[in-house]
């Protein structure tokens, strides 16, 4: 994926349920700030109760609906997570596993997954202007961020993670008795 830097445009994606708690409206606002940019294409992968309303307001977003992971990440160069709070961010984990940088101002466990200025950007202040500033930074530093995202994924050890979960469950089970 890293060699995609030479393409003529970047795919910027929102991946998730189109519900109020994920704030897809903020993604729409970010896309509107970039409506004149010819090198940015905005995508929404997902579905939900806000889809029709967002489509009516959208001027430069392609709505894909739910697709297979391979298709989503083949058509994504940067993932933007707009939810105010994100505790187990599948989109962040999956994006990084494909070498895709993530930009977010969400609170919660997403801040433990995305290392700021390494595999993406984590910042405070969920405004469209802040997101847009970090989007510009991500574009400028895309090759490094993408490479680092893949490095971070190689550190994951399934056996170690399962062992930690098992130990946690054993301790919790002991405390319940």
């Amino acid at each position: 994926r890293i060699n995609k830097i030479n393409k003529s445009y970047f795919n910027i994606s929102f991946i998730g349920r189109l519900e109020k708690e994920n704030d897809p409206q903020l993604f729409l606002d970010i896309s509107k700030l970039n409506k004149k940019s010819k090198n940015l294409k905005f995508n929404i992968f997902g579905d939900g109760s806000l889809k029709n309303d967002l489509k009516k307001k959208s001027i430069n977003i392609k709505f894909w609906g739910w697709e297979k992971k391979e298709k989503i990440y083949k058509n994504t160069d940067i993932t933007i997570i707009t939810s105010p709070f994100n505790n187990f961010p599948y989109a962040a984990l999956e994006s990084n596993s494909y070498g895709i940088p993530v930009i977010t101002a969400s609170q919660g466990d997403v801040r433990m997954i995305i290392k700021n200025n390494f595999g993406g950007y984590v910042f405070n202040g969920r405004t469209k202007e802040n997101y847009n500033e970090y989007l510009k930074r991500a574009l400028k530093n895309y090759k490094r961020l993408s490479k680092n995202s893949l490095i971070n994924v190689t550190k994951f050890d399934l056996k170690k993670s399962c062992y930690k979960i098992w130990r946690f469950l054993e301790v919790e089970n002991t405390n319940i008795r």
Side-chain angles (χ1 to χ4, degrees):
R1 288 201 46 86
I2 294 170
N3 64 1
K4 288 180 84 174
I5 191 72
N6 296 327
K7 51 189 264 178
S8 60
Y9 63 90
F10 284 88
N11 283 301
I12 314 303
S13 297
F14 173 99
I15 304 162
R17 292 177 300 111
L18 301 177
E19 302 296 341
K20 186 177 180 179
E21 64 268 15
N22 289 331
D23 200 359
Q25 178 63 50
L26 180 54
F27 184 79
L28 187 103
D29 295 341
I30 298 162
S31 76
K32 286 180 180 178
L33 287 177
N34 293 283
K35 65 184 173 190
K36 293 181 181 177
S37 179
K38 300 204 184 315
N39 68 332
L40 299 179
K41 296 191 182 222
F42 288 85
N43 302 291
I44 290 182
F45 292 95
D47 207 342
S49 64
L50 300 177
K51 183 177 182 178
N52 290 334
D53 187 45
L54 291 167
K55 273 186 156 181
K56 289 176 190 172
K57 297 177 185 176
S58 168
I59 53 174
N60 60 338
I61 297 176
K62 180 175 181 178
F63 287 78
W64 294 76
W66 289 115
E67 296 286 345
K68 291 185 177 187
K69 276 192 256 185
E70 294 78 19
K71 188 169 188 177
I72 291 170
Y73 296 108
K74 181 180 179 186
N75 291 287
T76 300
D77 297 308
I78 296 173
T79 300
I80 293 181
I81 298 175
T82 55
S83 60
F85 193 82
N86 203 320
N87 242 348
F88 196 77
Y90 284 108
L93 290 166
E94 290 173 351
S95 292
N96 275 183
S97 74
Y98 283 88
I100 298 170
V102 175
I103 301 170
T104 188
S106 298
Q107 299 298 313
D109 289 347
V110 70
R111 290 175 174 257
M112 293 169 46
I113 307 256
I114 305 305
K115 292 180 177 26
N116 191 35
N117 200 24
F118 184 79
Y121 292 105
V122 179
F123 56 95
N124 293 317
R126 290 181 53 256
T127 66
K128 62 185 175 184
E129 293 83 10
N130 284 348
Y131 270 96
N132 204 48
E133 178 60 35
Y134 282 95
L135 175 56
K136 289 176 186 175
R137 289 183 191 187
L139 293 168
K140 182 179 176 185
N141 299 305
Y142 181 78
K143 192 171 184 176
R144 177 181 57 81
L145 295 171
S146 181
K147 181 181 173 187
N148 290 344
S149 294
L150 289 171
I151 289 169
N152 200 31
V153 169
T154 62
K155 295 178 183 177
F156 178 76
D157 182 336
L158 181 61
K159 286 182 182 180
K160 189 185 287 185
S161 293
C162 288
Y163 176 76
K164 285 180 181 179
I165 292 169
W166 189 251
R167 290 291 303 147
F168 173 78
L169 292 173
E170 285 177 341
V171 169
E172 287 298 310
N173 192 27
T174 305
N175 290 339
I176 292 173
R177 290 182 195 171

